[in-house]
Coordinates of all heavy atoms in Angstrom, one line a residue:
M12 N -10.0 8.0 -10.3 CA -9.7 7.0 -11.1 C -10.8 6.9 -12.1 O -11.9 6.6 -11.8 CB -9.5 5.7 -10.4 CG -8.9 4.6 -11.2 SD -8.6 3.1 -10.2 CE -7.2 3.7 -9.3
D13 N -10.4 7.0 -13.4 CA -11.6 6.9 -14.4 C -11.7 5.6 -15.2 O -12.5 5.5 -16.1 CB -11.3 8.1 -15.4 CG -9.9 7.9 -16.3 OD1 -9.3 6.8 -16.1 OD2 -9.6 8.9 -16.9
G14 N -10.9 4.7 -14.9 CA -11.0 3.4 -15.4 C -10.3 3.4 -16.7 O -10.4 2.3 -17.5
S15 N -9.6 4.3 -17.4 CA -9.0 4.3 -18.6 C -7.9 3.3 -18.7 O -7.4 3.0 -19.8 CB -8.5 5.7 -19.0 OG -7.4 6.1 -18.0
N16 N -7.3 2.8 -17.7 CA -6.2 1.9 -17.7 C -6.8 0.4 -17.4 O -6.0 -0.5 -17.3 CB -5.2 2.1 -16.7 CG -4.5 3.4 -17.0 OD1 -4.3 3.7 -18.1 ND2 -4.1 4.3 -16.0
M17 N -8.1 0.3 -17.4 CA -8.8 -1.0 -17.1 C -8.9 -1.8 -18.4 O -9.0 -1.2 -19.5 CB -10.0 -0.8 -16.4 CG -9.9 -0.3 -15.0 SD -11.4 -0.4 -14.1 CE -11.9 -2.1 -14.2
H18 N -8.9 -3.2 -18.4 CA -9.2 -4.0 -19.4 C -10.6 -4.6 -19.3 O -11.2 -4.7 -18.3 CB -8.2 -5.1 -19.5 CG -6.8 -4.6 -19.6 ND1 -6.2 -4.1 -20.9 CD2 -5.8 -4.5 -18.7 CE1 -5.0 -3.7 -20.7 NE2 -4.7 -3.9 -19.4
I19 N -11.2 -5.0 -20.4 CA -12.6 -5.6 -20.5 C -12.5 -6.7 -19.5 O -11.7 -7.7 -19.5 CB -13.0 -6.0 -21.9 CG1 -13.2 -4.7 -22.8 CG2 -14.3 -6.8 -21.8 CD1 -13.4 -5.0 -24.2
G20 N -13.5 -6.9 -18.6 CA -13.6 -7.9 -17.7 C -12.8 -7.8 -16.5 O -13.0 -8.5 -15.4
E21 N -12.1 -6.7 -16.3 CA -11.3 -6.5 -15.1 C -12.1 -5.8 -14.1 O -12.6 -4.8 -14.5 CB -10.0 -5.8 -15.5 CG -9.0 -5.6 -14.5 CD -7.7 -4.8 -14.9 OE1 -7.7 -4.2 -16.1 OE2 -6.7 -4.9 -14.2
E22 N -12.0 -6.3 -12.9 CA -12.7 -5.7 -11.9 C -11.8 -4.7 -11.0 O -10.6 -5.0 -11.0 CB -13.4 -6.6 -10.8 CG -14.5 -7.2 -11.3 CD -15.3 -8.0 -10.2 OE1 -15.3 -7.5 -9.1 OE2 -15.9 -9.1 -10.5
L23 N -12.3 -3.6 -10.6 CA -11.5 -2.6 -9.7 C -11.6 -3.1 -8.2 O -12.7 -3.2 -7.7 CB -12.1 -1.2 -10.0 CG -11.2 0.0 -9.6 CD1 -10.0 -0.1 -10.4 CD2 -12.0 1.2 -9.9
S24 N -10.6 -3.3 -7.7 CA -10.5 -3.6 -6.3 C -10.1 -2.4 -5.4 O -9.4 -1.6 -6.0 CB -9.8 -5.0 -5.9 OG -8.4 -4.6 -6.3
P25 N -10.7 -2.2 -4.2 CA -10.4 -1.1 -3.5 C -8.9 -1.1 -3.1 O -8.2 -2.1 -2.8 CB -11.1 -1.3 -2.1 CG -12.1 -2.3 -2.5 CD -11.5 -3.2 -3.6
M26 N -8.3 0.2 -3.1 CA -6.9 0.3 -2.7 C -6.8 0.3 -1.2 O -7.6 1.0 -0.6 CB -6.3 1.6 -3.4 CG -4.8 1.9 -2.9 SD -4.2 3.3 -3.6 CE -3.8 2.7 -5.3
I27 N -6.0 -0.5 -0.7 CA -5.7 -0.5 0.8 C -4.4 0.1 1.0 O -3.4 -0.3 0.5 CB -5.7 -2.0 1.3 CG1 -7.1 -2.6 0.8 CG2 -5.5 -2.0 2.8 CD1 -7.1 -4.1 1.1
I28 N -4.4 1.0 1.9 CA -3.1 1.9 2.2 C -2.8 1.6 3.7 O -3.7 1.9 4.6 CB -3.2 3.3 2.0 CG1 -3.6 3.4 0.4 CG2 -2.0 4.0 2.2 CD1 -3.9 4.8 0.0
D29 N -1.6 1.2 4.0 CA -1.2 1.2 5.5 C -0.3 2.4 5.7 O 1.0 2.5 5.2 CB -0.3 -0.2 5.6 CG 0.2 -0.4 7.0 OD1 0.0 0.6 7.9 OD2 0.7 -1.5 7.3
N30 N -0.8 3.4 6.3 CA -0.1 4.6 6.7 C 0.8 4.3 8.0 O 0.3 3.5 8.7 CB -1.0 5.8 7.0 CG -1.7 6.2 5.7 OD1 -1.1 6.5 4.8 ND2 -3.0 6.2 5.8
F31 N 1.9 4.8 8.1 CA 2.8 4.7 9.2 C 3.2 3.2 9.2 O 3.4 2.7 10.4 CB 2.1 5.1 10.6 CG 1.5 6.4 10.5 CD1 0.0 6.6 10.4 CD2 2.2 7.6 10.4 CE1 -0.5 7.8 10.4 CE2 1.6 8.8 10.4 CZ 0.3 9.0 10.3
A32 N 3.5 2.6 8.2 CA 3.9 1.1 8.0 C 5.2 1.0 8.8 O 6.1 1.7 8.7 CB 3.9 0.8 6.6
G33 N 5.3 -0.1 9.6 CA 6.5 -0.5 10.3 C 6.7 -1.9 10.0 O 7.0 -2.3 8.9
G34 N 6.7 -2.8 11.1 CA 7.0 -4.2 11.0 C 6.0 -5.0 10.1 O 6.2 -6.0 9.6
G35 N 4.8 -4.5 9.9 CA 3.7 -5.1 9.3 C 2.7 -5.7 10.0 O 1.9 -6.4 9.4
G36 N 2.5 -5.5 11.3 CA 1.5 -6.1 12.0 C 0.1 -5.7 11.6 O -0.8 -6.7 11.5
A37 N -0.2 -4.5 11.3 CA -1.4 -4.1 10.8 C -1.7 -4.7 9.4 O -2.8 -5.1 9.1 CB -1.5 -2.6 10.8
S38 N -0.7 -4.7 8.5 CA -0.9 -5.2 7.3 C -1.2 -6.7 7.3 O -1.9 -7.3 6.4 CB 0.5 -5.0 6.4 OG 0.5 -3.6 6.1
T39 N -0.5 -7.4 8.2 CA -0.8 -8.9 8.3 C -2.2 -9.1 8.8 O -3.0 -10.0 8.3 CB 0.2 -9.5 9.4 OG1 1.5 -9.5 9.0 CG2 -0.2 -11.0 9.6
G40 N -2.7 -8.2 9.8 CA -4.2 -8.3 10.1 C -5.0 -8.0 8.8 O -6.1 -8.7 8.8
I41 N -4.7 -7.1 8.1 CA -5.5 -6.7 6.8 C -5.5 -8.0 6.0 O -6.6 -8.4 5.4 CB -4.9 -5.4 6.1 CG1 -5.2 -4.2 6.9 CG2 -5.4 -5.4 4.7 CD1 -4.3 -3.1 6.5
E42 N -4.3 -8.6 5.7 CA -4.2 -9.8 4.9 C -4.9 -11.0 5.4 O -5.8 -11.5 4.6 CB -2.7 -10.2 4.8 CG -2.5 -11.2 3.8 CD -1.0 -11.5 3.6 OE1 -0.1 -10.9 4.3 OE2 -0.7 -12.3 2.8
L43 N -5.0 -11.2 6.7 CA -5.9 -12.2 7.2 C -7.3 -12.0 7.1 O -8.1 -13.0 6.9 CB -5.4 -12.5 8.8 CG -4.2 -13.0 9.1 CD1 -3.8 -13.0 10.6 CD2 -4.0 -14.4 8.6
A44 N -7.8 -10.7 7.3 CA -9.2 -10.4 7.2 C -9.6 -10.2 5.7 O -10.8 -10.7 5.5 CB -9.3 -9.0 7.9
L45 N -8.9 -9.7 4.9 CA -9.3 -9.5 3.4 C -8.7 -10.4 2.4 O -9.2 -10.5 1.3 CB -9.0 -8.0 3.1 CG -9.6 -7.0 4.1 CD1 -9.3 -5.6 3.6 CD2 -11.2 -7.2 4.0
G46 N -7.7 -11.2 2.8 CA -7.2 -12.1 1.8 C -6.1 -11.6 1.0 O -5.7 -12.2 0.0
R47 N -5.6 -10.4 1.2 CA -4.6 -9.7 0.4 C -3.8 -8.7 1.3 O -4.5 -8.1 2.2 CB -5.0 -9.2 -0.9 CG -6.0 -8.0 -0.7 CD -6.4 -7.5 -2.1 NE -7.3 -6.4 -2.1 CZ -6.8 -5.1 -2.4 NH1 -5.5 -4.9 -2.6 NH2 -7.6 -4.0 -2.3
S48 N -2.7 -8.5 0.9 CA -1.8 -7.5 1.6 C -2.3 -6.1 1.0 O -2.9 -5.9 0.0 CB -0.4 -7.7 1.4 OG 0.2 -8.7 2.0
P49 N -2.0 -5.0 1.8 CA -2.2 -3.6 1.4 C -1.6 -3.4 -0.1 O -0.6 -4.0 -0.4 CB -1.6 -2.8 2.4 CG -1.6 -3.6 3.6 CD -1.4 -5.0 3.2
S50 N -2.2 -2.4 -0.7 CA -1.7 -2.0 -2.0 C -0.5 -1.2 -1.9 O 0.5 -1.4 -2.6 CB -2.8 -1.3 -2.8 OG -4.0 -1.8 -2.7
V51 N -0.4 -0.3 -0.9 CA 0.6 0.6 -0.7 C 0.9 0.7 0.8 O 0.0 0.6 1.7 CB 0.2 2.0 -1.2 CG1 1.3 3.0 -0.9 CG2 -0.2 2.0 -2.7
A52 N 2.2 0.9 1.2 CA 2.6 1.1 2.7 C 3.5 2.4 2.6 O 4.3 2.4 1.7 CB 3.3 -0.1 3.1
I53 N 3.3 3.3 3.6 CA 3.9 4.4 3.7 C 4.6 4.7 5.0 O 3.9 4.5 6.0 CB 2.9 5.7 3.3 CG1 2.3 5.5 2.0 CG2 3.7 7.0 3.3 CD1 1.1 6.5 1.7
N54 N 5.8 5.2 4.9 CA 6.5 5.6 6.2 C 7.6 6.5 5.9 O 8.3 6.2 4.8 CB 6.9 4.3 7.0 CG 7.2 4.8 8.5 OD1 8.1 5.7 8.7 ND2 6.8 4.0 9.5
H55 N 8.0 7.5 6.7 CA 9.1 8.3 6.3 C 10.5 7.7 6.7 O 11.5 8.1 6.3 CB 9.0 9.6 7.0 CG 9.0 9.5 8.6 ND1 8.1 9.0 9.4 CD2 10.0 9.7 9.4 CE1 8.4 8.9 10.7 NE2 9.7 9.4 10.6
N56 N 10.4 6.6 7.4 CA 11.6 5.9 7.9 C 12.0 4.7 7.0 O 11.3 3.8 6.8 CB 11.4 5.5 9.5 CG 12.5 4.8 10.0 OD1 13.0 3.8 9.7 ND2 13.2 5.5 10.9
A57 N 13.2 4.8 6.5 CA 13.7 3.7 5.6 C 13.8 2.4 6.2 O 13.5 1.3 5.6 CB 15.0 4.2 5.0
D58 N 14.2 2.5 7.5 CA 14.3 1.1 8.3 C 12.9 0.5 8.4 O 12.9 -0.8 8.4 CB 15.1 1.3 9.6 CG 16.5 1.7 9.5 OD1 17.2 1.4 8.4 OD2 17.0 2.4 10.4
A59 N 12.0 1.4 8.7 CA 10.6 0.7 8.8 C 10.1 0.1 7.6 O 9.6 -0.9 7.6 CB 9.7 1.8 9.4
I60 N 10.3 0.9 6.5 CA 9.9 0.4 5.2 C 10.7 -0.8 4.8 O 10.1 -1.7 4.2 CB 10.0 1.5 4.1 CG1 9.0 2.6 4.3 CG2 9.9 0.9 2.7 CD1 7.4 2.0 4.2
A61 N 12.0 -1.0 5.1 CA 12.8 -2.2 4.8 C 12.2 -3.4 5.6 O 12.0 -4.5 4.9 CB 14.2 -2.0 5.2
L62 N 11.8 -3.2 6.7 CA 11.3 -4.4 7.5 C 9.9 -4.8 7.0 O 9.5 -5.9 6.8 CB 11.1 -3.9 8.9 CG 10.4 -5.0 10.0 CD1 11.4 -6.2 9.9 CD2 10.5 -4.4 11.4
H63 N 9.1 -3.7 6.7 CA 7.7 -4.0 6.0 C 8.0 -4.7 4.7 O 7.2 -5.5 4.4 CB 6.9 -2.6 5.9 CG 5.5 -2.9 5.6 ND1 4.9 -3.2 4.4 CD2 4.4 -2.8 6.5 CE1 3.7 -3.4 4.4 NE2 3.3 -3.2 5.6
T64 N 8.9 -4.2 3.9 CA 9.1 -4.8 2.6 C 9.4 -6.4 2.8 O 9.0 -7.2 2.0 CB 10.3 -4.2 1.9 OG1 9.8 -2.8 1.6 CG2 10.6 -4.7 0.5
A65 N 10.2 -6.7 3.8 CA 10.6 -8.1 4.0 C 9.4 -8.9 4.4 O 9.3 -10.1 4.0 CB 11.6 -8.1 5.1
N66 N 8.5 -8.3 5.1 CA 7.3 -9.0 5.6 C 6.1 -9.0 4.5 O 5.2 -9.9 4.5 CB 6.7 -8.5 6.8 CG 7.8 -8.7 8.0 OD1 8.4 -9.9 8.0 ND2 7.9 -7.9 8.9
H67 N 6.2 -8.0 3.7 CA 5.1 -7.8 2.7 C 5.6 -7.4 1.2 O 5.4 -6.2 0.9 CB 4.1 -6.8 3.2 CG 3.4 -7.3 4.4 ND1 2.3 -8.2 4.4 CD2 3.7 -7.1 5.7 CE1 2.0 -8.4 5.8 NE2 2.7 -7.6 6.5
P68 N 6.4 -8.2 0.6 CA 7.1 -7.9 -0.5 C 6.2 -7.6 -1.7 O 6.5 -6.8 -2.7 CB 8.0 -9.2 -0.9 CG 7.3 -10.3 -0.3 CD 6.8 -9.7 1.0
E69 N 5.0 -8.1 -1.7 CA 4.0 -7.7 -2.8 C 3.4 -6.3 -2.7 O 2.7 -5.9 -3.7 CB 3.0 -8.8 -2.8 CG 2.0 -8.8 -1.7 CD 2.6 -9.5 -0.4 OE1 3.6 -10.1 -0.5 OE2 1.9 -9.4 0.7
T70 N 3.6 -5.6 -1.7 CA 3.1 -4.3 -1.4 C 4.0 -3.2 -2.0 O 5.2 -3.4 -1.9 CB 2.8 -4.0 0.1 OG1 2.0 -4.9 0.6 CG2 2.4 -2.6 0.3
L71 N 3.5 -2.2 -2.6 CA 4.2 -1.1 -3.0 C 4.6 -0.2 -1.9 O 3.7 0.1 -1.1 CB 3.4 -0.1 -4.1 CG 4.0 1.1 -4.5 CD1 5.3 0.9 -5.3 CD2 3.0 2.1 -5.3
H72 N 5.9 0.0 -1.8 CA 6.4 0.8 -0.5 C 6.9 2.1 -0.9 O 7.6 2.4 -1.9 CB 7.5 0.0 0.1 CG 7.0 -1.3 0.7 ND1 7.0 -2.4 0.0 CD2 6.6 -1.6 1.9 CE1 6.5 -3.4 0.8 NE2 6.2 -2.8 2.0
M73 N 6.6 3.1 -0.2 CA 7.0 4.5 -0.2 C 7.6 5.0 0.9 O 7.0 5.0 2.0 CB 5.6 5.3 -0.6 CG 4.9 4.9 -1.9 SD 3.5 5.8 -2.1 CE 4.1 7.5 -2.5
I74 N 8.9 5.5 0.8 CA 9.5 6.2 1.8 C 9.3 7.7 1.7 O 10.0 8.3 1.0 CB 11.1 5.9 1.8 CG1 11.3 4.3 1.9 CG2 11.8 6.6 2.9 CD1 12.7 3.9 1.7
T75 N 8.3 8.2 2.5 CA 8.1 9.6 2.5 C 7.1 9.9 3.5 O 6.5 9.1 4.3 CB 7.3 10.0 1.1 OG1 7.2 11.3 0.9 CG2 6.0 9.3 1.0
D76 N 7.0 11.2 3.8 CA 6.1 11.8 4.8 C 4.6 11.6 4.1 O 4.4 12.0 3.0 CB 6.3 13.2 5.1 CG 5.4 13.8 6.2 OD1 4.3 13.6 6.1 OD2 6.0 14.5 6.9
I77 N 3.6 11.1 4.8 CA 2.3 10.9 4.4 C 1.6 12.2 3.8 O 0.8 12.1 2.9 CB 1.5 10.0 5.3 CG1 1.0 10.8 6.6 CG2 1.9 8.8 5.5 CD1 0.0 10.3 7.3
R78 N 2.1 13.2 4.4 CA 1.5 14.6 4.0 C 2.0 14.9 2.6 O 1.4 15.8 2.0 CB 1.9 15.7 5.0 CG 1.2 15.4 6.4 CD 1.8 16.3 7.5 NE 3.2 16.0 7.6 CZ 3.9 16.5 8.7 NH1 3.4 17.3 9.4 NH2 5.1 16.1 8.9
A79 N 3.0 14.3 2.0 CA 3.6 14.6 0.6 C 3.0 13.7 -0.3 O 3.3 14.0 -1.5 CB 5.1 14.5 0.8
V80 N 2.2 12.7 0.0 CA 1.7 11.9 -1.0 C 0.5 12.5 -1.7 O -0.4 13.0 -1.1 CB 1.3 10.5 -0.3 CG1 0.7 9.6 -1.4 CG2 2.4 9.8 0.3
K81 N 0.6 12.4 -3.0 CA -0.5 13.0 -3.8 C -1.2 11.9 -4.7 O -0.4 10.9 -5.1 CB 0.0 14.0 -4.8 CG 0.7 15.2 -4.1 CD -0.2 16.1 -3.3 CE 0.6 17.3 -2.7 NZ 0.3 17.4 -1.4
R82 N -2.4 11.9 -5.0 CA -3.0 11.0 -5.7 C -2.8 11.4 -7.2 O -3.1 12.6 -7.5 CB -4.5 11.0 -5.4 CG -5.3 10.0 -6.3 CD -6.8 9.9 -5.9 NE -7.3 9.0 -6.8 CZ -8.7 9.1 -7.0 NH1 -9.4 9.9 -6.4 NH2 -9.2 8.2 -7.9
D83 N -2.3 10.5 -8.0 CA -2.1 10.7 -9.5 C -3.1 10.0 -10.3 O -3.6 8.9 -10.0 CB -0.8 10.3 -10.0 CG 0.3 11.3 -9.4 OD1 -0.1 12.5 -9.1 OD2 1.4 10.9 -9.2

């Protein structure tokens, strides 16, 4: 990430990724510990992602195999 999409005064916060996201228990723990939900949740199972989406709607959800995810 080179910061080219940042605005003056904007801080870069660490990206938090929940791999193998399911019901959202790990994400809830992350939220309680850090004060925010994960940035991204990944699972190959659509039902698992649907449940996670219901529990963490502010997170970006990806239905895919984690081995197929590429950083852009």
Side-chain angles (χ1 to χ4, degrees):
M12 184 176 296
D13 64 7
S15 61
N16 294 324
M17 292 183 62
H18 301 285
I19 295 174
E21 184 179 15
E22 283 192 37
L23 197 60
S24 61
M26 179 176 281
I27 301 170
I28 302 172
D29 185 350
N30 293 306
F31 313 108
S38 291
T39 297
I41 290 167
E42 188 173 4
L43 290 171
L45 301 178
R47 69 181 181 99
S48 288
S50 312
V51 180
I53 305 167
N54 195 306
H55 69 283
N56 184 287
D58 292 333
I60 288 294
L62 182 55
H63 195 280
T64 301
N66 292 325
H67 298 278
E69 62 283 354
T70 298
L71 171 67
H72 292 89
M73 299 176 70
I74 303 170
T75 189
D76 186 312
I77 64 168
R78 294 171 291 190
V80 177
K81 304 287 186 231
R82 181 179 176 199
D83 288 332

